[in-house]
Amino acid sequence: MNSLKSLSNKDAKLVMAHMYVAFIALFVGATCGLLQTLERSGKFTLPAGIGYYQILTVHGVVLGLVLTTFFILGFMLAAQSKTTGGFNKTERTISWIGFWMMLVGTLSAATMILLNEATVLFTFYAPLQAHVLFYIGLALVIVGTWFDGFVMFKRHARFKKENPGERTPLLSFMAVVTMLMWQIASIGVAITVVFQMIPWALGWVETIDVLLSRTLFWYFGHPLVYFWLLPAYMMWYAIMPKIIGGKIFSDSLARFTFILLLFFSIPVGFHHQLTEPGIDPFWKFLQVILTMIVVIPSMMTAFSMFATFESRGRELGAKGLFGWLKKMPWKDARFLAPFIGMLFFIPGGAGGIINASNQMNQVVHNTIWVTGHFHLTVATTVMLTFFGITYWLVPSITGRKYTKTMNKLAIAQTIFWTVGMTIMSTAMHWQGLLGGPRRSAYSEYAGNADTAAWGSYQIAQAVGGSILFIGMIIMIIIFINLAFFAPKGQEEFPIAVVSNQAEKTPKVFENWPLWIGITIALVLFAYTIPLIDIIQSAPPGAKGYKLW
């Protein structure tokens, strides 16, 4: 092992392989995002016959699925390796198999999109029909993630066996909960892709049950949001306290938050289908209630984090209600980027409550308000936290230094990303309230005066997208430097310890049969009867359409 690295060479190579794919995806997806906002402004036409919906599909799939999945798995593998003592040969082999399955699947799906054979957008809603290799690629990506999940489960169990009576590492526990949620949820999209869409695309069956496919997608689609968010929570709970020189406020509260998110992030998909017929209103109402319960662990997280900040501030002599603000390391991008991400989660979470509320959803459903919402949550809260992770994770596992020059560049990157996203997402929200549609290229609706105001908002989105593109370029430069060119040295892998004043963590948190059982019970309660109704009352299936 290289003594300058925080992980063994073999574990470091595994983690960095995931990171390389993630940042290539960032470049490709963000470039398509820029082209998309320019086209939507009405002042720019895509060259070479490239279609708007083609690049919209690339943007959504590559950033929403490829970038996030590879980064999250790389980060969680690194965190678990660091806190449990590293993986053995069998575990690494299994993880490499998963990585190559995901990579082959990504290349298969991306190739079909670039060839204009899978312009079906991020949600790939039937009856829009893609090339079968697109669906096979998606299936490979999903199954590949299960291999990494199995490795995390196995390593966590091995730690418990090797250290009887000892509390398991918090980061390893969080990784296990995240992958449990992901694997239970991704069964839905795997079923619809393998058993509905692949046979349909191959022509083995003529039609597809659209409502069933959408329901199985959203059974997965909303937990996907928490798959993006939980690794950010890992950073906030277990790593940011170390960066500011403090301690974890409560290990028990952190674990309980993750358990609650495991319970209530899966049986909530109907709140994405409030306007769809064929689903009984009672089950929509039930899942809206379960959606609102997710506010509780989110508020617990907010309480825990700001308690951590205030405690540290008072240790440094802060006075008054907000005196701690002056004591935070604002000139350290490892803190600044995730902290700004936290702040953006406040309006992002409020927008989520609006989206999930039956009456208010009718106002914003299928408008670009929804696009603005997930650019606040995923593209700002999650991505800024991921960038903050990158600044210490990459040099700590490549044996390089996070220099003052890179820190200054990272602060500039954070500012560009924050300003760009503020302009773009604000314009999206306002245009959505005026009825501007999502998933659509520039349109003036035949010169209708009611839509004239949309133009200025679409230009604002192009301006914000251009600023974001600059932020992306800066981020790529930082990543390349930290991976290949920064001076050799030892960078800390910052993991905080628990406050001495925190209560002892109950052993019940390691009762996995209990937590998995409750999760499955909630899922069965929320979905069994609706799925039976959908299947029994299914209308004639839809043939495939290719509208591009």
Side-chain angles (χ1 to χ4, degrees), residues 31-281:
T31 300
C32 288
L34 173 65
L35 294 174
Q36 176 193 331
T37 57
L38 294 176
E39 166 80 9
R40 191 178 171 86
S41 73
K43 307 296 183 182
F44 173 80
T45 301
L46 291 168
I50 300 172
Y52 172 83
Y53 299 100
Q54 186 179 2
I55 63 166
L56 179 55
T57 303
V58 175
H59 177 69
V61 171
V62 170
L63 291 185
L65 285 177
V66 180
L67 161 62
T68 53
T69 300
F70 277 91
F71 186 95
I72 289 166
L73 293 175
F75 166 54
M76 292 198 301
L77 287 168
Q80 195 174 52
S81 173
K82 176 67 176 178
T83 56
T84 61
F87 301 112
N88 60 32
K89 183 179 179 180
T90 301
E91 291 160 350
R92 277 192 298 272
T93 300
I94 295 171
S95 190
W96 275 115
I97 292 171
F99 170 82
W100 286 111
M101 289 180 68
M102 291 163 55
L103 183 59
V104 170
T106 296
L107 294 175
S108 175
T111 300
M112 290 301 104
I113 298 171
L114 294 173
L115 291 176
N116 206 23
E117 293 289 338
T119 303
V120 291
L121 307 188
F122 167 73
T123 47
F124 54 94
Y125 275 167
L128 293 178
Q129 189 179 68
H131 194 283
V132 68
L133 289 179
F134 173 80
Y135 299 123
I136 291 173
L138 291 181
L140 285 172
V141 171
I142 296 299
V143 175
T145 64
W146 294 351
F147 281 73
D148 272 346
F150 176 75
V151 168
M152 293 180 207
F153 302 154
K154 185 175 182 297
R155 186 63 187 95
H156 190 78
R158 187 158 66 88
F159 180 91
K160 287 181 63 178
K161 185 177 180 180
E162 294 169 348
N163 301 272
E166 186 177 332
R167 182 178 63 198
T168 58
L170 178 59
L171 283 170
S172 179
F173 176 90
M174 290 173 161
V176 168
V177 173
T178 302
M179 290 310 297
L180 268 175
M181 180 205 66
W182 170 260
Q183 307 214 152
I184 294 171
S186 58
I187 290 171
V189 73
I191 289 173
T192 188
V193 168
V194 173
F195 294 104
Q196 284 188 283
M197 293 183 170
I198 290 177
W200 177 58
L202 287 170
W204 295 349
V205 294
E206 187 177 2
T207 62
I208 188 169
D209 185 332
V210 172
L211 181 57
L212 179 60
S213 70
R214 291 190 183 187
T215 300
L216 289 171
F217 175 85
W218 283 117
Y219 167 82
F220 153 83
H222 194 77
L224 173 64
V225 175
Y226 290 94
F227 179 64
W228 296 331
L229 185 63
L230 287 182
Y233 277 18
M234 291 171 65
M235 167 70 172
W236 298 355
Y237 272 111
I239 292 164
M240 279 189 73
K242 179 69 172 181
I243 290 173
I244 66 173
K247 295 181 179 180
I248 297 170
F249 177 73
S250 170
D251 182 273
S252 299
L253 187 146
R255 292 177 195 247
F256 188 44
T257 297
F258 270 63
I259 291 295
L260 290 179
L261 288 167
L262 173 65
F263 291 165
F264 299 113
S265 63
I266 303 176
V268 296
F270 284 163
H271 82 249
H272 288 268
Q273 298 175 271
L274 292 175
T275 62
E276 289 198 32
I279 302 172
D280 189 283

Side-chain angles (χ1 to χ4, degrees), residues 453-470:
W454 293 356
S456 58
Y457 292 108
Q458 292 178 165
I459 291 174
Q461 291 164 37
V463 171
S466 300
I467 296 171
L468 279 167
F469 183 78
I470 296 172

Side-chain angles (χ1 to χ4, degrees), residues 14-25:
L14 177 63
V15 171
M16 287 306 297
H18 287 78
M19 293 296 164
Y20 296 142
V21 177
F23 279 90
I24 291 171

